[in-house]
Amino acid sequence: MSQRVLTTESGAPVADNQNSASAGIGGPLLLQDQHLIEKLARFNRERIPERVVHARGSGAYGYFEVTDDVTGFTHTDFLSTVGRRTEVFLRFSTVADSLGGADAVRDPRGFAVKFYTEEGNYDLVGNNTPVFFVKDPIKFPDFIHSRKRDPPPLPERAWEVPPSGRQEPDSVWDFWAHSPEATHQVTWLMGDRGIPASYRHMNGYGSHTYQWTNAEGEAFFVKYHFKTNQGVRSLSAEQAAELAGKDPNSHQTDLFQAIERGVHPSWTLYVQIMPAAEAADYRFNSFDLTKVWPHRDHPLRRVGRLVLDRNPDNVFAEVEQAAFSPNNFVPGIGPSPDKMLQGRLFAYPDAHRYRLGVNHTLPAVNAPRAATARNYGRDGLMAVNRQGRYAKNYEPNSYDGPAETGRPLSAPLAVTGHKGAHEAPPHTKDDDFSQAGELYRLMPAEERRRLVANIAGSLSQVSRDDVIEKNLAHFHAADPEYGRRVAEAVRDLRED
């Protein structure tokens, strides 16, 4: 029987569902990619009214203080002076579960920071892991669908208890079986750091590659690392199950109570810096979100300290309505060709326009601190400010309205080639398994044992042998011992 053809919602056949269309190989993504835009826009509108991802969140205010000179790499104003402080709002979250889920679950954690700078808001939207499951945004809705609570089973499948309304291991592992690039992040997630003991006791990462530009116009690619000053602490699966039963809001409770009693959590920000010219010939794709930059190649450079010292007064107004957009840049900081980042530049503000309305930047938690935003946007849902009763709302005009500066926020990025859906340009070590194997071998023996047990406990519940075998092959490709131990553990559990 011939396979059915995947189509867009207008019925046109989809030529490539693995790679977004870009301007040349490795270039920025194209707005003309109907399939990508359609997938992301529909995905953002699948839940009302909570966030489709990162729904369960906690937040707090604080400040970021510059401790080290980085002016040789970026001319951004809020990083220009040692000792300078900038107000911040940080929102923590789980990724896959709903607003009513528990905090102590195995899931990546969102780590989103809004810097209220003198040049406008700068949003750094990351996670507590330096990598992710997929490298192209066209696969992101599919990945999240595989992690969401499952619809009723197909009629021909026999279940003792129908899995309707729960996260389904068959779906989770089937997606990973067809996505070998996820092996690195799966190893992170199923390891000890998959369940942080609290939000205070985990690191945060920008995860993506970003661009910095200095005063001379030189471009650098950077990765952000927020290292917790409280020390990294995690929960075992057994500890997490007990804690989630006692207090589903455990991490929010911990964060709120710590700040209220004057124990202000803090993180030290480090960056890895790569001169832009090095990226093309680096041994793997510098813009691949499934990979890290080894510290021996690009060591950590300290930038400053982030401190949380004030709880929100109204959780709904400030935490639930907080809107972070990775395209909120300030002069000296900009995007890279990281495909996942490029997709998020559209997806995040589009989600806010759907969920909170076109005026989502007006609530206090999202509004710039330095000055009222000056643009020609008018009206729309919840237009609560005056929005210029006598001002012209078009540009250019002859009435002294706000005008463009002519100064780009970041350095230009050269692109070549033909438009179309391209795989990323090949590099010498662009495989999906090496870094997962390196991470496994870095783990102490007891952590390896827990990692294997965590994977086997979930993978053994999968009903299809071929899906299990595909996943075992990924672990074996990462490290033969890793694959063998998981296979043995899965076999033992399935025989019981």
Side-chain angles (χ1 to χ4, degrees):
M1 186 177 74
S2 61
Q3 189 169 19
R4 291 182 294 173
V5 173
L6 178 67
T7 74
T8 64
E9 293 188 28
S10 64
V14 173
D16 194 328
N17 193 42
Q18 308 303 315
N19 302 285
S20 302
S22 60
I25 297 177
L29 303 188
L30 300 176
L31 191 61
Q32 71 178 44
D33 188 341
Q34 179 200 4
H35 185 48
L36 170 66
I37 300 302
E38 186 175 81
K39 283 184 74 171
L40 293 178
R42 170 170 279 279
F43 177 67
N44 280 337
R45 291 161 173 80
E46 288 182 355
R47 299 291 187 275
I48 299 174
E50 70 179 31
R51 290 168 170 86
V52 67
V53 288
H54 298 278
R56 181 172 182 78
S58 304
Y61 293 94
Y63 63 86
F64 177 79
E65 181 178 8
V66 179
T67 58
D68 294 78
D69 182 12
V70 290
T71 54
F73 305 103
T74 179
H75 66 83
T76 191
D77 183 62
F78 83 97
L79 298 177
S80 63
T81 307
V82 172
R84 183 167 183 172
R85 289 188 176 185
T86 300
E87 184 185 1
V88 301
F89 180 78
L90 199 161
R91 186 178 188 271
F92 305 97
S93 57
T94 52
V95 173
D97 212 345
S98 64
L99 187 59
D103 285 341
V105 295
R106 188 172 300 281
D107 200 17
R109 299 305 193 277
F111 193 99
V113 188
K114 187 180 293 290
F115 298 83
Y116 300 103
T117 87
E118 294 294 321
E119 298 178 296
N121 291 350
Y122 171 46
D123 290 353
L124 184 60
V125 186
N127 285 326
N128 71 328
T129 61
V131 292
F132 197 63
F133 299 92
V134 294
K135 63 182 73 173
D136 194 298
I138 209 164
K139 298 184 72 171
F140 182 71
D142 300 303
F143 163 66
I144 295 297
H145 287 165
S146 75
R147 303 261 313 162
K148 285 291 186 180
R149 300 187 181 202
D150 205 42
L154 297 174
E156 62 269 21
R157 293 183 57 183
W159 298 88
E160 293 180 6
V161 179
S164 176
R166 72 167 191 167
Q167 191 182 70
E168 178 51 55
D170 270 355
S171 300
V172 172
W173 288 100
D174 185 40
F175 181 86
W176 288 343
H178 291 87
S179 305
E181 70 270 27
T183 308
H184 192 185
Q185 174 71 324
V186 171
T187 304
W188 270 88
L189 177 64
M190 305 304 284
D192 282 359
R193 297 197 186 192
I195 315 179
S198 78
Y199 289 133
R200 297 183 296 126
H201 294 92
M202 69 181 195
N203 294 335
Y205 301 88
S207 302
H208 296 289
T209 301
Y210 293 89
Q211 186 197 72
W212 277 7
T213 308
N214 66 16
E216 288 72 41
E218 296 176 290
F220 303 86
F221 292 122
V222 300
K223 283 185 175 290
Y224 294 87
H225 301 248
F226 291 87
K227 299 289 188 179
T228 176
N229 294 324
Q230 292 70 237
V232 173
R233 289 176 49 199
S234 303
L235 300 172
S236 68
E238 295 76 18
Q239 290 171 325
E242 181 180 359
L243 181 59
K246 289 180 177 178
D247 180 9
N249 307 299
S250 57
H251 289 30
Q252 181 168 328
T253 300
D254 174 86
L255 179 67
F256 181 87
Q257 291 182 347
I259 294 175
E260 286 297 297
R261 66 177 185 267
V263 180
H264 298 155
S266 66
W267 289 258
T268 300
L269 172 62
Y270 299 87
V271 293
Q272 291 178 282
I273 299 176
M274 176 189 293
E278 291 185 12
D281 297 322
Y282 196 45
R283 64 181 181 275
F284 57 82
N285 184 357
S286 307
F287 313 116
D288 182 346
L289 187 55
T290 67
K291 294 181 173 61
V292 298
W293 297 356
H295 291 184
R296 63 181 177 272
D297 295 345
H298 302 284
L300 296 179
R301 181 185 296 268
R302 193 175 66 177
V303 180
R305 184 170 67 113
L306 186 152
V307 179
L308 299 181
D309 59 6
R310 179 167 66 90
N311 282 310
D313 295 321
N314 184 309
V315 171
F316 179 81
E318 297 167 90
V319 179
E320 289 309 303
Q321 292 196 129
F324 298 84
S325 297
N327 56 1
N328 284 348
F329 293 111
V330 292
I333 304 177
S336 78
D338 180 332
K339 285 189 174 184
M340 281 295 292
L341 173 60
Q342 292 275 321
R344 294 175 87 197
L345 299 182
F346 163 77
Y348 274 61
D350 184 60
H352 305 324
R353 285 188 288 268
Y354 162 65
R355 183 171 172 269
L356 301 175
V358 71
N359 289 301
H360 63 271
T361 58
L362 298 183
V365 69
N366 300 323
R369 295 289 191 267
T372 302
R374 296 178 296 274
N375 56 54
Y376 296 95
R378 286 276 183 94
D379 307 331
L381 181 68
M382 298 301 293
V384 296
N385 66 359
R386 297 180 184 274
Q387 293 187 298
R389 177 181 178 189
Y390 298 109
K392 304 298 182 185
N393 67 335
Y394 56 87
E395 197 279 335
N397 64 57
S398 304
Y399 297 88
D400 197 29
E404 61 194 17
T405 67
R407 298 188 300 271
L409 299 184
S410 56
L413 180 70
V415 297
T416 60
H418 301 283
K419 68 177 181 66
H422 302 286
E423 292 188 14
H427 294 245
T428 56
K429 288 201 69 175
D430 261 344
D431 68 274
D432 294 322
F433 307 110
S434 295
Q435 291 198 355
E438 291 169 2
L439 177 59
Y440 173 80
R441 290 186 290 274
L442 282 173
M443 293 178 177
E446 274 302 296
E447 186 172 354
R448 291 189 201 181
R449 181 190 64 77
R450 291 188 291 269
L451 168 68
V452 168
N454 291 335
I455 292 174
S458 179
L459 186 57
S460 62
Q461 300 178 53
V462 172
S463 62
R464 291 181 59 120
D465 290 340
D466 60 328
V467 172
I468 293 175
E469 291 304 319
K470 285 179 181 178
N471 281 286
L472 292 177
H474 295 169
F475 299 128
H476 187 84
D479 184 276
E481 178 196 284
Y482 187 10
R484 175 183 57 78
R485 292 181 63 179
V486 173
E488 291 173 351
V490 169
R491 182 195 62 209
D492 292 344
L493 287 172
R494 287 171 68 84
E495 287 178 352
D496 286 345

